[in-house]
């Protein structure tokens, strides 16, 4: 099935909804650090750190790059491989950056760990639940019906992006939560991230080895850079498996080195000394009392 596509591939298309989201995100961040923060943080504690601000700006830039012209228009109308790259940015780059941007006090203010909401979120963000939801969404959003209908229907397309984003944010909480009690141990994080890299192999395999067009929405005569539909699908599969897989393995490697340093004899000795010093201070305080 061949669908019509504009031959003017690089025409500029303005997406006001994207700018509204980005502008709204900056306004909310400004409100949090200027209005809420001074009343929620002790006088000697920083409202936000340099890491928080850099992560937030990087997250907003990545979200804009993936959602605005020309990435959005190329991925929606011409290349499914660009569409795959767009989803990788929304699911694997933006969520962990946003979680890193969240100050601890703000997360505790939004989610009281001891309250009913906190307990519910603690249950829902268990790796089994978060991982299942994320992989279910990944599989459903790669079904031919979902892809084709999202290209034909603009609101549904943004709804799909929204679902992918929130499912991905959910998936990253056991690894990057600003609340330490919601993060799992480093070995558990490594196993969890490894499993997150396995399930996407299924749709990636279909894309890489498919002989014909899987998605009618991308089967048209206008081919960007001369990339035919089969090659485009194979590139999409490689993007999903290789780039996405390597990216997750970089995270696994960083967790492994953190765990190795934490469990090295030198660090164990330092931790033991710190605990000993802390006990001595507590003993001195009790004696003085």
């Amino acid at each position: 099935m061949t669908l019509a596509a504009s031959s003017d591939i690089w025409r500029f298309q303005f997406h006001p909804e994207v700018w509204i989201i980005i502008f709204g995100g900056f306004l909310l961040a400004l409100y949090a650090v200027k209005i809420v923060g001074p009343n929620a943080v002790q006088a000697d504690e920083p409202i936000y750190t340099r890491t928080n601000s850099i992560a937030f700006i990087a997250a907003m830039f990545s979200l804009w790059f993936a959602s605005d012209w020309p990435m959005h228009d190329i991925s929606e109308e011409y290349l499914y491989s660009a569409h795959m790259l767009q989803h990788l940015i929304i699911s694997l780059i933006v969520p962990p950056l946003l979680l890193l941007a969240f100050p601890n006090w703000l997360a505790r203010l939004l989610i009281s760990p001891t309250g009913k909401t906190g307990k519910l979120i603690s249950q829902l963000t268990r790796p089994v639940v978060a991982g299942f939801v994320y992989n279910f969404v990944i599989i459903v959003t790669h079904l031919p019906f979902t892809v084709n209908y999202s290209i034909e229907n603009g609101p549904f397309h943004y709804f799909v992006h929204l679902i992918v984003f929130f499912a991905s944010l959910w998936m990253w909480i056991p690894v990057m939560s600003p609340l330490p009690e919601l993060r799992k141990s480093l070995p558990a994080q490594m196993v969890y991230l490894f499993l997150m890299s396995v399930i996407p192999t299924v749709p990636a395999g279909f894309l890489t080895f498919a002989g014909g067009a899987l998605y009618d929405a991308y089967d048209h005569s206008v081919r960007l850079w001369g990339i035919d539909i089969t090659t485009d699908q194979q590139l999409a599969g490689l993007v999903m498996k290789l780039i996405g897989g390597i990216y997750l393995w970089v995270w696994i490697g960083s967790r492994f080195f953190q765990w190795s340093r934490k469990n090295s004899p030198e660090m164990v000795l330092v931790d033991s000394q710190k605990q000993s010093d802390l006990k001595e201070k507590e003993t001195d305080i009790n004696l003085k009392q």
Side-chain angles (χ1 to χ4, degrees):
M1 177 180 179
T2 302
L3 302 178
S6 174
S7 57
D8 187 7
I9 297 174
W10 297 103
R11 70 195 184 283
F12 175 76
Q13 299 187 64
F14 181 56
H15 301 288
E17 67 281 356
V18 175
W19 288 95
I20 290 173
I21 292 172
I22 300 299
F23 186 65
F26 275 102
L27 284 181
L28 287 174
L30 187 64
Y31 177 79
V33 300
K34 295 296 184 181
I35 306 298
V36 181
N39 298 316
V41 178
Q42 298 293 332
D44 58 340
E45 295 181 11
I47 296 176
Y48 65 96
T49 65
R50 181 178 176 83
T51 298
N52 294 144
S53 59
I54 292 176
F56 180 75
I57 293 172
M60 290 294 99
F61 175 80
S62 300
L63 183 61
W64 165 80
F65 176 75
S67 305
D68 202 7
W69 179 88
M71 173 66 79
H72 172 77
D73 305 286
I74 292 174
S75 66
E76 184 178 9
E77 299 180 39
Y78 301 100
L79 293 178
Y80 188 66
S81 52
H83 179 93
M84 187 65 68
L85 181 60
Q86 180 189 45
H87 275 219
L88 285 184
I89 295 172
I90 293 173
S91 62
L92 297 184
I93 294 179
V94 176
L97 284 173
L98 279 180
L99 291 172
L100 185 61
F102 251 79
N104 182 275
W105 64 265
L106 182 57
R108 292 194 182 281
L109 192 64
L110 295 174
I111 306 167
S112 175
T114 57
K116 291 183 179 180
T117 303
K119 292 179 180 179
L120 178 62
I121 289 178
S122 179
Q123 295 294 322
L124 292 177
T125 54
R126 289 183 174 181
V128 173
V129 179
F132 172 80
V133 171
Y134 170 74
N135 284 288
F136 177 78
V137 169
I138 290 298
I139 290 174
V140 170
T141 53
H142 287 88
L143 295 176
F145 169 79
T146 307
V147 173
N148 290 328
Y149 188 66
S150 69
I151 298 305
E152 297 171 4
N153 188 296
F156 182 73
H157 188 86
Y158 280 101
F159 174 74
V160 169
H161 281 192
L162 196 64
I163 293 297
V164 169
F165 170 74
F166 279 110
S168 303
L169 191 69
W170 196 344
M171 184 274 284
W172 280 101
I173 288 178
V175 179
M176 291 294 295
S177 171
L179 299 178
E181 56 268 27
L182 294 182
R183 292 197 299 266
K184 302 307 172 186
S185 66
L186 292 174
Q189 290 182 28
M190 287 186 279
V191 174
Y192 176 68
L193 290 172
F194 167 73
L195 293 176
M196 294 305 99
S197 70
V198 172
I199 300 299
T201 302
V202 178
F206 279 115
L207 289 167
T208 304
F209 299 107
L214 290 177
Y215 306 113
D216 292 339
Y218 292 94
D219 187 14
H220 48 68
S221 58
V222 181
R223 308 308 309 177
L224 179 59
W225 298 313
I227 301 174
D228 61 79
I229 182 64
T230 302
T231 304
D232 183 31
Q233 290 176 169
Q234 292 172 345
L235 287 174
L238 291 175
V239 167
M240 188 177 193
K241 179 56 183 174
L242 290 183
I243 296 180
I246 291 172
Y247 178 82
L248 288 175
W249 272 99
V250 169
W251 276 88
I252 294 171
S254 70
R255 274 10 190 197
F256 174 77
F257 287 118
Q258 288 182 33
W259 177 76
S260 298
R261 287 197 303 268
K262 187 176 181 181
N263 290 274
S264 64
E266 294 81 4
M267 291 302 298
V268 171
L269 183 61
V270 169
D271 290 339
S272 300
Q273 186 63 45
K274 287 182 179 179
Q275 292 178 5
S276 177
D277 294 342
L278 183 61
K279 288 181 180 180
E280 288 181 4
K281 289 181 180 179
E282 291 176 350
T283 302
D284 292 341
I285 292 173
N286 292 332
L287 291 174
K288 289 178 181 180
Q289 292 177 346

